[in-house]
Amino acid sequence: MALNIGEIKYTNILPLFFYLNKKEIEKTGAQFIPQVPAELNRRMARGEIDLGGISSFAYGENSHQYSLFPNLSVSTYGKVGSILLFSKIKIEELDGRSIALTSSSATSVALLKVILKEFIGVNPYYETMTPNYDEMLSSYDACLLIGEDAIKGGWRQEKDIYVYDLGELWYENTNLPMTYAVMAVRNDAIKREAPLLEKLLIQMTESKGRTKADGYQEMIEDVLHEHGGESAFWSHYFQGINYDLSENHIKGLKLYFELAYKHSFIQSLPEFTFFNYSLQGI
C-alpha cells in the first residue's frame, strides 16, 4: 500500500514542503494530497491519509492513532498573522453576541473559544460556515478566518472593524508558544513504511532549514505568483512563524489541551508520542 501524504493548502506550512524531492518520493508509489486543514484532519482520522500537517486539535482528538515527527510544527511566539478574529465591536463586548467560525480549521476554533472563555470572560454564540469575509460579517458580529482568507481580510484594513490576532492573544496570556499544526503520521503507516517516513522526516527538516537560511526569498517568489501581495509582507510573515517543536512548544500545547478539556472542547487529554526511526527495529 502506497503512502498518502496530506499537504495543507495554506502558505504557513510551505517551508516544510518547499524543497521536498516530490518526484523521487512519488516514484515509491506515494502521492501528495492537498487539502484544507479540516478535510485533512478528517481523512487522516479515517485512514485515507497516512502523514500530514494536521491541526494540533485533531492530533489531540486522535493521539492514540498518531505519532509526531520531531521538531516540526507551525507555531508562533506571539502574532501569527493568519488566524484572525474580525469584529464589529471590541472583544470584551462579545458576550452573548454572534461569531461566524471558519469551517477550515479545528485548532483555531478551539483556540478562539479558550481565549474568549478563559482569558476574556465572554461567552458568545457560534456558527460554523464556509469562510467568506463579507458574508460572515454581514450576518454576524464577528468572524474567525485562517490562512489566506485571514491574510486577505487583514489587507482590507477597514476602519470600523477590530482585528485580533489569536497567536498574540495566546502569548500575552500564557507567555508560551502556540502550535497550530504538527506533522503527524498514523501508527499503522509506520509499521509498513518506516524507511520512507524517515526519508520524509529528513527532507522536511532540511526544507525547513533551507527556506530559513535564505530568508524564505526563493519560496516567497512562488507565493507572490500564487497569492499576490508584497515581498516585504510575506518576508515579515514567514519570519514570524516558528517551525520547531521543542519542549517549550509541548508545554504550550499541553496547556492548550488542558484548557480545552476544562471547558469541554475536547473529551480527553492526549498523549505525545514521537516517530523515532531508530526504534523501529529495521
Side-chain angles (χ1 to χ4, degrees), residues 42-63:
R42 285 190 287 268
R43 296 188 67 176
M44 278 277 290
R46 293 197 299 256
E48 297 169 7
I49 289 177
D50 302 301
L51 166 70
I54 63 171
S55 299
S56 298
F57 189 82
Y59 175 81
E61 288 184 308
N62 297 282
S63 64

Side-chain angles (χ1 to χ4, degrees), residues 61-77:
E61 288 184 308
N62 297 282
S63 64
H64 61 288
Q65 297 185 77
Y66 303 150
S67 294
L68 295 170
F69 267 14
N71 207 29
L72 296 176
S73 78
V74 177
S75 306
T76 60
Y77 286 81

